[in-house]
Amino acid sequence: MKVIFLVHSFDTIERGGVLKVVSELTESLVSHIDDINVISLGVVNSFAFDLNDSVKFSSLDMPKYKTTFYKGNMKVKWFFDAFNALKESVVNNSEAIWVTSSPPLTLLLGLFKFKYNLKVIGCDHISTLYSKGGYVQKIRNLILKKINIMVALTPQDRDFYIQNNIRSVYIPNGVNLDLIHVNNARKNIIFVGRFHDVKQPLKVVDLFVNSKFARERFRLKMYGHGELEEKLISHVNSSGFSHLIDIITDETNPNIIYKDAFALVMTSKVEGMPMVLLEAISKNIPCLAIDCPYGPANIIKDAINGFLINGEYDDFEKKIASCEKLINTDFRDSISEFSNDNVTLNWMKLLNEV
């Protein structure tokens, strides 16, 4: 069996949850599949995350490897360029099972399906709430129906696909539940994610500085990178508590990120299946996340492994203090359905059936 994971770019500049999932999923599958490949459309100077030595990697060196390089209707040009760049790889690997990692890549391979008899598993790694509706969504659904099957990261996403007559199966992201012991003095509140509007990193700062419990006992450490970095730095400097807040853009080692964490805070407007929540809970670090549609509510069990919050200061103050009751408990079993073993079994079942 040959499996090819297609990504926009595996370069460190695109470091984030999607590439981490690809890294960890290929790692889990190498003991079951003898030919696993990762193809990056964009040039890669240094890997965003490690890949197993058994995984074959190649880059197509596209300068504009994702649709965000274009605006408006010009995004169509990306599909034309990407189709031409990928065509040789598709022809030479027509027997492989292709796995996508974003909505544009799923549509791209869906277009290939009109001409070539490919096996394609779509995995968009984004909530279906981003569906545009109207004529655009009808065209998208038409293309998605060409995909062999869509992997939904949440039951709600699976229901959306099925309601639109698109074949789908629910397989969440996985996490290693063999606890990695790190020193934990419980002295930091952490944020881990892209500095992007959808993640609302500035709101994390506001919650922290407006919480007497948090700012009198902890530091806030914010791990990530992205377009809001300068704005975030300015916001921290004007908060009056910059001496308690660290912005860290170059750290990917989870043993360092989660070291000494009292709790993890997530303020996303919308999520898919957030890996950082699974990682933190797997290390018995309670999580607080805004109750956005999908994602956090599938993982967090109130007063067991964390709390869902509404984003208001008083609610955050109450629940961050309540995390003290959780820090001496082992709540990894609360996410047992997301264990790597279970997720790998489900992926192998799917790959053998496609």
Side-chain angles (χ1 to χ4, degrees):
M1 180 187 296
K2 184 174 188 176
V3 180
I4 300 175
F5 288 83
L6 181 64
V7 300
H8 287 284
S9 172
F10 207 79
D11 190 84
T12 187
I13 196 172
E14 297 293 340
R15 186 178 74 242
V18 173
L19 296 185
K20 185 159 193 177
V21 170
V22 172
S23 169
E24 295 187 354
L25 182 56
T26 54
E27 177 70 29
S28 297
L29 293 174
V30 289
S31 60
H32 304 274
I33 300 171
D34 59 4
D35 194 356
I36 296 181
N37 300 254
V38 173
I39 294 180
S40 169
L41 294 185
V43 64
V44 175
N45 295 308
S46 60
F47 280 2
F49 297 97
D50 291 336
L51 289 173
N52 187 287
D53 291 340
S54 298
V55 175
K56 303 180 182 72
F57 178 84
S58 60
S59 171
L60 302 183
D61 296 344
M62 282 184 65
K64 297 181 178 181
Y65 51 82
K66 58 183 180 178
T67 57
T68 52
F69 285 107
Y70 299 92
K71 294 182 179 179
N73 293 333
M74 285 301 294
K75 291 181 184 293
V76 174
K77 186 178 186 304
W78 178 85
F79 285 94
F80 179 82
D81 292 342
F83 190 96
N84 287 331
L86 190 60
K87 184 176 179 180
E88 183 177 352
S89 296
V90 167
V91 172
N92 292 337
N93 296 281
S94 58
E95 81 292 351
I97 300 173
W98 291 75
V99 182
T100 69
S101 58
S102 76
L105 293 176
T106 301
L107 292 178
L108 178 64
L109 284 182
L111 293 173
F112 273 105
K113 288 272 289 180
F114 281 93
K115 185 174 182 180
Y116 301 98
N117 186 29
L118 298 181
K119 295 178 180 179
V120 179
I121 297 175
C123 190
D124 283 354
H125 291 280
I126 193 170
S127 170
T128 50
L129 283 176
Y130 276 113
S131 301
K132 299 180 182 298
Y135 186 65
V136 172
Q137 188 60 40
K138 288 182 179 179
I139 295 176
R140 172 174 163 77
N141 288 350
L142 178 66
I143 297 173
L144 291 185
K145 289 174 184 177
K146 298 291 290 184
I147 302 296
N148 292 76
I149 195 162
M150 291 294 297
V151 169
L153 298 181
T154 69
Q156 296 93 331
D157 291 319
R158 177 196 56 202
D159 293 344
F160 171 87
Y161 290 128
I162 291 174
Q163 288 166 8
N164 285 277
N165 298 313
I166 297 166
R167 293 175 295 278
S168 181
V169 61
Y170 164 55
I171 306 180
N173 293 331
V175 67
N176 183 2
L177 293 183
D178 296 327
L179 183 64
I180 300 175
H181 293 283
V182 295
N183 294 329
N184 200 333
R186 303 284 184 180
K187 60 185 181 181
N188 302 318
I189 292 172
I190 62 172
F191 166 89
V192 184
R194 288 178 294 120
F195 298 152
H196 187 279
D197 178 63
V198 74
K199 302 291 186 181
Q200 300 193 107
L202 276 66
K203 188 169 187 65
V204 178
V205 174
D206 293 339
L207 290 172
F208 177 80
V209 301
N210 283 281
S211 168
K212 186 173 184 291
F213 176 86
R215 69 173 185 265
E216 288 187 351
R217 300 183 58 174
F218 306 105
R219 295 189 67 82
L220 174 62
K221 292 198 170 187
M222 306 189 69
Y223 295 93
H225 65 102
E227 59 195 48
L228 290 184
E229 182 179 337
E230 291 186 7
K231 189 173 182 180
L232 177 61
I233 292 172
S234 176
H235 192 65
V236 167
N237 289 338
S238 64
S239 70
F241 294 94
S242 60
H243 60 290
L244 295 178
I245 304 173
D246 303 310
I247 298 173
I248 303 160
T249 62
D250 58 354
E251 186 57 70
T252 61
N253 186 337
N255 290 336
I256 294 176
I257 291 173
Y258 296 107
K259 180 178 182 292
D260 295 332
F262 171 77
L264 179 142
V265 178
M266 173 177 283
T267 50
S268 301
K269 296 177 182 177
V270 67
E271 276 287 348
M273 179 56 65
M275 280 296 297
V276 294
L277 293 185
L278 295 175
E279 287 179 338
I281 293 171
S282 76
K283 294 171 173 51
N284 285 327
I285 298 168
C287 296
L288 292 90
I290 287 181
D291 189 13
C292 65
Y294 307 1
N298 298 101
I299 298 172
I300 292 179
K301 296 177 173 60
D302 272 348
I304 295 176
N305 57 23
F307 297 92
L308 294 172
I309 60 177
N310 60 22
E312 300 297 327
Y313 299 147
D314 57 346
D315 186 56
F316 178 78
E317 175 79 351
K318 175 184 175 182
K319 290 176 178 175
I320 189 69
S322 296
C323 286
E324 275 200 308
K325 301 173 184 177
L326 307 179
I327 61 174
N328 292 318
T329 60
D330 186 347
F331 42 70
R332 286 172 294 156
D333 285 347
S334 66
I335 55 170
S336 58
E337 68 174 289
F338 306 108
S339 72
N340 271 345
D341 289 343
N342 288 339
V343 170
T344 302
L345 286 174
N346 288 331
W347 267 99
M348 284 305 304
K349 182 175 183 292
L350 175 61
L351 290 166
N352 284 316
E353 291 176 350
V354 171

